[in-house]
């Protein structure tokens, strides 16, 4: 840890902490790094994709396993699955993150 980072006490509800810890583990981050990432994202301007696409549902049939692309609103994006599994044609996915031209999909 660098010396220029501010240290302070943060109190969280146990349920919120547990959800953050689970999400951090899925993203291979420490809880501290995950909270810092969330805070950084909240103060940085979000992209058009993040504002307009996050939360939408994608059908597996709109995902091309061959090219690694997913079609959303007529535009093709690269994608990752939140659990690093191979996308399934018969499954629906929620778009949980959008960074540039890369969407993160979570199985519903």
């Amino acid at each position: 840890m660098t010396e220029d980072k501010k240290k302070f006490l943060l109190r969280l509800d146990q349920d919120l902490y547990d959800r953050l810890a689970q999400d951090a583990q899925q993203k291979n981050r420490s809880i501290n790094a995950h909270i810092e990432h969330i805070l950084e994202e909240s103060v940085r301007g979000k992209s058009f994709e993040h504002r307009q696409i996050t939360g939408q549902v994608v059908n597996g049939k709109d995902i091309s396993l061959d090219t690694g692309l997913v079609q959303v609103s007529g535009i093709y994006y690269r994608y990752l699955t939140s659990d690093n599994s191979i996308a399934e044609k018969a499954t629906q996915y929620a778009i949980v993150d959008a960074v540039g031209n890369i969407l993160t999909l979570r199985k519903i």
Side-chain angles (χ1 to χ4, degrees), residues 7 23 25 27 37 47 53-54 73 76 88 94:
K7 297 177 187 177
D23 200 32
Q25 182 180 14
K27 295 180 178 172
H37 174 78
S47 68
I53 295 176
T54 302
S73 301
Y76 287 93
E88 301 168 7

Side-chain angles (χ1 to χ4, degrees), residues 74-93:
I75 301 172
Y76 287 93
Y77 295 90
R78 295 196 179 281
Y79 72 90
L80 304 168
T81 56
S82 61
D83 62 358
N84 294 319
S85 65
I86 296 173
E88 301 168 7
K89 292 286 185 184
T91 303
Q92 288 192 320
Y93 295 87

Side-chain angles (χ1 to χ4, degrees), residues 9 20 29 42 52 94 98 101:
L9 180 64
L20 286 168
R29 294 184 185 131
S42 73
Q52 300 297 319
N101 69 337

